[in-house]
Amino acid sequence: AQKVTQAQTEISVVEKEDVTLDCVYETRDTTYYLFWYKQPPSGELVFLIRRNSFDEQNEISGRYSWNFQKSTSSFNFTITASQVVDSAVYFCALSEARETSGSRLTFGEGTQLTVNP
Amino acid sequence: EAQVTQNPRYLITVTGKKLTVTCSQNMNHEYMSWYRQDPGLGLRQIYYSMNVEVTDKGDVPEGYKVSRKEKRNFPLILESPSPNQTSLYFCASSLLSRGSYEQYFGPGTRLTVT
């Protein structure tokens, strides 16, 4: 069975600090997909990134960057120079590549990030 | 505009009173699913559907029913709601694939059962 663990329940930083959100996953499959979603206080889920298991290149998008390491089964998310608007709950998720389960996502517990001015 | 809509957005009800949360998508997606979100547990899948008339249980299906009579709609039915079904519910849709497509989520329905 697949599992995603986000060990950091809450993180609090001061604006402009860098912050890394950890994500560790378990799966028996060799082909799988990893995701990060943001849930701002308004409650909706905002898609941030999708990464497949064959692509271990790190990705950067503005102040966001993701570090995928298959050797440690981790997919960590770093926000550089954090801003108050980054305050949200962040979810890491895993999807296995099986027709019978379609695009089912297994989510981690979520990390509440608070950025203080 | 591509979107997933859910209704109602907020609902307070009493134990045992049947309710339905509707979900509709306008992207012609085959795959639709329901998740519930609870503090400390993240989101967990309740039911999913891979096409019209094809539905299956997710991780936490007890106490819920679904139907998929049309491609665009995937209602969630609580025949006899109980307080432990108080939660935030999300509907999602995507193209059917082996896990590779982004899922589009609805805005969420906050349900309170007293």
Side-chain angles (χ1 to χ4, degrees), chain A residues 18-23 36 48-49 51 57-68 75-81 86 90:
Chain A
D18 297 348
V19 57
T20 296
L21 309 182
D22 297 334
C23 173
W36 275 94
L48 294 178
I49 189 172
R51 173 67 75 209
Q57 276 192 335
N58 291 333
E59 177 149 345
I60 299 175
S61 175
R63 294 185 297 107
Y64 295 170
S65 62
W66 291 268
N67 182 294
F68 176 31
F75 187 45
N76 297 336
F77 173 33
T78 297
I79 302 175
T80 302
D86 295 327
Y90 290 86

Side-chain angles (χ1 to χ4, degrees), chain B residues 3-101:
Chain B
Q3 60 181 351
V4 178
T5 57
Q6 293 179 228
N7 282 293
R9 295 288 314 280
Y10 302 90
L11 179 59
I12 301 174
T13 189
V14 296
T15 298
K17 186 176 180 182
K18 181 180 178 181
L19 66 92
T20 299
V21 184
T22 64
C23 172
S24 183
Q25 50 94 4
N26 62 1
M27 296 166 279
N28 204 36
H29 286 164
E30 299 92 354
Y31 187 89
M32 297 185 74
S33 63
W34 277 101
Y35 294 84
R36 61 177 287 173
Q37 180 182 349
D38 301 292
L41 297 176
L43 282 80
R44 295 174 293 167
Q45 191 182 58
I46 303 171
Y47 268 95
Y48 66 93
S49 169
M50 294 171 74
N51 216 324
V52 175
E53 304 292 0
V54 180
T55 64
D56 207 346
K57 297 177 181 178
D59 297 318
V60 288
E62 296 76 23
Y64 304 94
K65 284 175 59 176
V66 293
S67 69
R68 188 95 181 269
K69 296 191 172 79
E70 305 165 286
K71 198 171 186 180
R72 62 183 292 127
N73 297 322
F74 190 45
L76 179 69
I77 303 156
L78 285 72
E79 295 269 1
S80 183
S82 62
N84 65 12
Q85 292 178 299
T86 292
S87 188
L88 178 59
Y89 292 86
F90 288 97
C91 180
S93 76
S94 74
L95 293 169
L96 183 62
S97 77
R98 295 188 180 211
S100 64
Y101 287 105

Side-chain angles (χ1 to χ4, degrees), chain A residues 10-95:
Chain A
E10 295 181 22
I11 300 176
S12 182
V13 299
V14 176
E15 209 169 16
K16 297 185 183 173
E17 282 185 25
D18 297 348
V19 57
T20 296
L21 309 182
D22 297 334
C23 173
V24 174
Y25 62 91
E26 296 175 28
T27 177
R28 294 179 186 174
D29 286 7
T30 54
T31 302
Y32 51 89
Y33 301 84
L34 295 163
F35 301 76
W36 275 94
Y37 283 86
K38 174 182 179 180
Q39 186 177 45
S42 51
E44 74 273 21
L45 286 163
V46 179
F47 167 79
L48 294 178
I49 189 172
R50 173 181 63 246
R51 173 67 75 209
N52 74 55
S53 54
F54 296 108
D55 183 0
E56 286 195 71
Q57 276 192 335
N58 291 333
E59 177 149 345
I60 299 175
S61 175
R63 294 185 297 107
Y64 295 170
S65 62
W66 291 268
N67 182 294
F68 176 31
Q69 293 202 338
K70 237 170 157 175
S71 59
T72 56
S73 297
S74 65
F75 187 45
N76 297 336
F77 173 33
T78 297
I79 302 175
T80 302
S82 59
Q83 300 176 1
V84 172
V85 293
D86 295 327
S87 296
V89 180
Y90 290 86
F91 290 100
C92 180
L94 167 71
S95 179

